Amino acid sequence: MIGRFTDGQFLASITYAFPEGYRHGEGWEDAKRLYVVLHRFDFDGHHIDSDIWCAGTWREQQQRRGRPDSALACAEARMAELLDALPRREFQSIGIRPFQLTVDNVLFGLVIEQHGENEVEDDWAELYPDRLGFCDPWNGEYST
């Protein structure tokens, strides 16, 4: 979810993520965590702050699936609270600058990357941990 509010712009999502460097194997159900993410930006697209909250693990979600105390239900409730707290919120296109931060050893942000043959020019921006990729012509279309 993206948009503007009284103080600037926002980008919000509910997403699962593994910590950096995690190698898939036994115990993955506890390593895969569900996050509620709200990034706030000024009107020029500079990152101001982020509210990042872990609602639980994949294992916890499976154990409580369909219940009001499931990780997903808690995440959706938290997201509603965060969005409701944005005065004069409107969902619409935004323009933001690259930023990054790490919480619980998980990378969050819009990170510039290089993917060309020479890997010397910045040609890609990846939204983490959602794994949405953006490239020229930088018009908001993304690749997953």
Side-chain angles (χ1 to χ4, degrees):
M1 293 170 271
I2 59 172
R4 295 177 181 265
F5 68 109
T6 301
D7 298 328
Q9 306 177 87
F10 69 91
L11 184 156
S13 69
I14 296 175
T15 186
Y16 277 101
F18 286 100
E20 287 289 312
Y22 174 77
R23 301 253 188 262
H24 194 71
E26 194 170 318
W28 70 269
E29 299 93 339
D30 295 314
K32 186 175 182 179
R33 296 172 284 192
L34 184 63
Y35 287 93
V36 177
V37 181
L38 175 66
H39 301 297
R40 286 178 285 269
F41 308 87
D42 65 19
F43 287 108
D44 292 325
H46 297 99
H47 179 250
I48 296 171
D49 64 13
S50 296
D51 189 314
I52 299 171
W53 181 71
C54 180
T57 66
W58 179 264
R59 181 184 309 279
E60 292 167 340
Q61 171 59 26
Q62 298 312 303
Q63 291 169 343
R64 298 181 186 139
R65 178 177 286 203
R67 293 176 28 186
D69 64 342
S70 72
L72 183 57
C74 292
E76 290 171 341
R78 173 76 173 180
M79 179 60 74
E81 289 174 10
L82 291 173
L83 292 175
D84 287 348
L86 296 174
R88 300 181 65 201
R89 177 189 74 240
E90 293 182 20
F91 296 106
Q92 58 182 280
S93 295
I94 63 172
I96 61 172
R97 299 171 189 272
F99 72 102
Q100 66 184 63
L101 63 149
T102 301
V103 175
D104 296 338
N105 206 29
V106 175
L107 177 62
F108 293 87
L110 184 65
V111 179
I112 298 299
E113 297 181 350
Q114 301 167 340
H115 292 92
E117 290 178 21
N118 300 328
E119 293 192 14
V120 293
E121 291 186 33
D122 297 338
D123 65 347
W124 189 264
E126 187 86 13
L127 182 65
Y128 287 94
D130 302 84
R131 301 306 301 233
L132 301 177
F134 301 86
C135 63
D136 192 29
W138 309 105
N139 61 5
E141 292 185 18
Y142 61 88
S143 176
T144 56

